[in-house]
Amino acid sequence: MRFFTGGINHETNTFSPIPASIERFRETSYARGDELLAKTRGTRTVIGGFIDAADELGIELVPTIHSFAMPSDAVTRAAWDEQINDTLDDLEAALAGGPIDGLLLGLHGAMVIEGIDDGEGEYLRRVRELVGPDMPIVMELDLHANISPESVEMVDVMVGYDTYPHVDVYDRAVELTHLLARIVKGEIKPTSAFRQIPVLANLTAQYSGTPQMTDWLALCHEIESRPGVLTATITCGFPYADIPQTGMAAYVATDDDPELAEACVRELAQFAWDRRHDFQATPMAIAEAVEYAMNAEGPILLADVADNPGAGTSCDGTEILRELIARNARSTALALMFDPETAAQASATGVGATIEARIGGKVDDLHGAPIETSAYVRALTDGYYVNDGPLGTGSSTDIGLTAVLEIGGRGGIEVVCNTFRHAANDANSLRSVGIEPTKRQIVVIKSSVHYRADFTPLVKEIVEVDAPGLSTPNWSRFDFQHLRRPIFPLDPDMTWEA
Ligand SMILES: [Zn+2]
């Protein structure tokens, strides 16, 4: 058996001013053909899972492009055209080189392309056009997918991540590969049901450790254990996308039993609707959070949930840092501050120098103004580290030239300024620059939820902070125009039944 594999991935925050150009893909994650297999073999990633399952089943994988750009505004037309054309060229070559039995895709589900709202729908339409209606196509999706009904119709089966932080992407990839193999062998005939749920869910309320997610997932797994059910997926959606398919959804595939799929999907969708109030969030005001963190038993992790580059923000928000400096916080580390200028300035003067820095607040006017301060250059690195935490274990991260600046003298506030926009979700983002998070009173991380996978065991407590930013849980800061309405909680009095 031969499976063609790849995927173009992006999570689009349509409120971001930063377009996803081809450079953004290349600096985050991009590989094509055999290089993709070489790079991901042995990692706990989507493609790593496809490879291991294919090896186990004796299936040959024919790889094309698999790429991912740090979330931001829509994928540019040029970045899209280049990648989809290369993908289709590879698919044509693969088809010419012998029979392809199925397409095994790793897609995100919340990609918007310049002028095309439904990015994954477009990807599927283009590959489907080439392979025809009978070729099995399956896809793995992120928990943050904003799935369109059109996408669901174009695939034979889909499997979404169950967890956030996404620690099961590998397991879901293995599950999906086995399903595709069974379809090709004729052992199963998937029939599916799908339901969009009219709820905007806050990212922080989508954390797998919350009661609502624990309960929803338990129901999902119980449904998967019922005879005749092949797989079930719940998605929370990515709320910072002002497009019609944004929101939560449920999906169930059964073995040739549409009525069963329909009954199960209704249960899953109704559950999320009934718990809709639990999918909202209320973070703590900045001043209150900083004061608490300075006086409680540490380490205290302050989560800058509104400036999560993984959700398309600038990652150079300054308002929490401003408060820390004003209160002369000690034993404090902040990561990662996207600031290539400051990293370069520190690199030019070298370790041991004191510079007049202008930190952060440069990308847009939505995340606070730059902070002007004297800062001591404590360390410089090339920004490379391997992830030892539960997310993408074994894969490497390159955050570019990185400087650790110390503000307020020895034992003061260390700010990790780096060159590529990236969330400090793995503790090695700090350890690789000489900061041991367990030895600090306060650790500030710009991220919504992913940091929890690695940092939860390292700190005493986590406090989500209400700073300004494009991933704030505060919906009133956004001017939504294109969502399908009504949707909760923007239309608080609406009623709905699955
Ligand atoms: Zn996600």
Side-chain angles (χ1 to χ4, degrees):
M1 243 184 263
R2 287 170 89 225
F3 293 168
F4 183 80
T5 191
I8 302 167
N9 288 260
H10 193 246
E11 182 180 77
T12 304
N13 183 326
T14 60
F15 298 97
S16 160
I18 310 159
S21 60
I22 192 68
E23 291 75 26
R24 300 288 89 80
F25 281 90
R26 291 192 192 278
E27 77 185 20
T28 309
S29 180
Y30 176 97
R32 181 180 181 186
D34 292 337
E35 187 203 343
L36 172 64
L37 300 186
K39 188 176 136 187
T40 48
R41 187 178 289 282
T43 62
R44 304 282 294 178
T45 57
V46 172
I47 303 293
F50 289 166
I51 293 172
D52 284 356
D55 282 353
E56 182 197 335
L57 296 166
I59 293 162
E60 183 194 344
L61 287 185
V62 184
T64 180
I65 292 171
H66 188 268
S67 66
F68 172 70
M70 193 41 70
S72 67
D73 193 14
V75 177
T76 65
R77 228 21 212 263
W80 169 251
D81 287 342
E82 178 185 327
Q83 295 186 87
I84 193 67
N85 289 336
D86 286 348
T87 297
L88 295 172
D89 284 350
D90 289 350
L91 181 52
E92 242 169 346
L95 292 164
I100 292 288
D101 299 290
L103 269 54
L104 181 61
L105 305 176
L107 298 172
H108 183 283
M111 173 169 67
V112 177
I113 303 161
E114 239 180 296
I116 304 173
D117 283 346
D118 186 6
E120 286 73 21
E122 181 65 9
Y123 188 104
L124 294 168
R125 193 180 65 75
R126 300 290 292 275
V127 294
R128 181 57 87 192
E129 223 167 55
L130 200 58
V131 300
D134 299 328
M135 170 90 68
I137 300 180
V138 301
M139 64 175 171
E140 179 166 354
L141 286 180
D142 196 279
L143 182 104
H144 297 113
N146 290 322
I147 308 166
S148 70
E150 294 77 21
S151 293
V152 176
E153 272 171 32
M154 283 185 279
V155 297
D156 293 73
V157 107
M158 69 180 203
V159 169
Y161 311 161
D162 286 341
T163 57
Y164 182 32
H166 306 320
V167 293
D168 67 330
V169 304
Y170 173 92
D171 302 304
R172 298 287 74 75
V174 171
E175 178 189 353
L176 186 69
T177 312
H178 280 261
L179 283 169
L180 179 55
R182 293 177 67 195
I183 295 169
V184 173
K185 285 185 205 155
E187 291 174 8
I188 52 174
K189 185 172 176 290
T191 46
S192 65
F194 172 68
R195 196 71 94 250
Q196 290 176 303
I197 307 158
V199 175
L200 273 187
N202 258 300
L203 291 184
T204 55
Q206 300 179 8
Y207 166 47
S208 296
T210 60
Q212 65 274 15
M213 282 304 285
T214 309
D215 294 349
W216 201 21
L217 191 58
L219 175 62
C220 184
H221 286 161
E222 188 269 307
I223 284 174
E224 282 181 320
S225 74
R226 294 180 193 171
V229 175
L230 296 172
T231 187
T233 285
I234 52 177
T235 57
C236 291
F238 182 68
Y240 306 107
D242 192 15
I243 52 171
Q245 73 262 29
T246 291
M248 306 178 86
Y251 168 89
V252 176
T254 56
D255 189 9
D256 202 13
D257 191 341
E259 289 79 24
L260 177 63
E262 183 57 31
C264 291
V265 94
R266 208 177 297 136
E267 256 182 273
L268 277 175
Q270 189 64 44
F271 179 96
W273 172 257
D274 292 344
R275 297 284 288 268
R276 62 194 178 282
H277 293 278
D278 295 337
F279 285 101
Q280 307 306 314
T282 43
M284 195 186 280
I286 295 176
E288 192 188 340
V290 168
E291 180 168 339
Y292 178 77
M294 288 175 71
N295 296 300
E297 189 189 341
I300 300 293
L301 190 150
L302 295 181
D304 190 354
V305 295
D307 189 15
N308 168 19
T313 69
S314 64
C315 200
D316 70 344
T318 50
E319 292 308 312
I320 296 175
L321 177 58
R322 194 181 308 283
E323 187 72 19
L324 289 163
I325 294 172
R327 291 179 188 247
N328 193 28
R330 317 306 298 162
S331 183
T332 296
L334 183 150
L336 290 165
M337 178 70 82
F338 170 69
D339 194 336
E341 276 174 44
T342 300
Q345 183 192 359
S347 172
T349 52
V351 171
T354 296
I355 59 173
E356 290 309 311
R358 196 165 164 270
I359 301 173
K362 294 170 187 146
V363 174
D364 55 38
D365 56 1
L366 305 166
H367 298 80
I371 289 178
E372 293 178 16
T373 179
S374 296
Y376 173 76
V377 182
R378 171 151 221 187
L380 292 164
T381 74
D382 65 354
Y384 176 88
Y385 58 88
V386 172
N387 301 294
D388 287 331
L391 281 176
T393 315
S395 63
S396 62
T397 298
D398 178 4
I399 58 171
L401 177 67
T402 299
V404 180
L405 300 185
E406 194 171 49
I407 301 167
R410 288 275 184 235
I413 304 166
E414 294 155 301
V415 182
V416 184
C417 295
N418 72 302
T419 302
F420 301 141
R421 187 175 285 108
H422 202 89
N425 291 324
D426 193 286
N428 282 352
S429 58
L430 287 168
R431 288 177 171 147
S432 66
V433 297
I435 298 172
E436 174 48 50
T438 58
K439 303 287 189 210
R440 294 293 182 275
Q441 169 66 24
I442 305 173
V443 179
V444 186
I445 299 291
K446 292 178 174 293
S447 176
S448 295
V449 169
H450 276 316
Y451 67 92
R452 286 180 181 268
D454 205 16
F455 281 96
T456 299
L458 305 182
V459 299
K460 277 272 179 324
E461 201 181 330
I462 290 169
V463 177
E464 295 173 346
V465 185
D466 187 13
L470 280 179
S471 58
T472 170
N474 187 346
W475 302 127
S476 69
R477 298 191 196 209
F478 300 94
D479 180 24
F480 288 104
Q481 298 284 335
H482 308 289
L483 296 177
R484 58 179 200 282
R485 303 295 284 264
I487 194 164
F488 183 85
L490 304 189
D491 302 297
D493 301 325
M494 68 175 287
T495 55
W496 187 77
E497 253 179 74

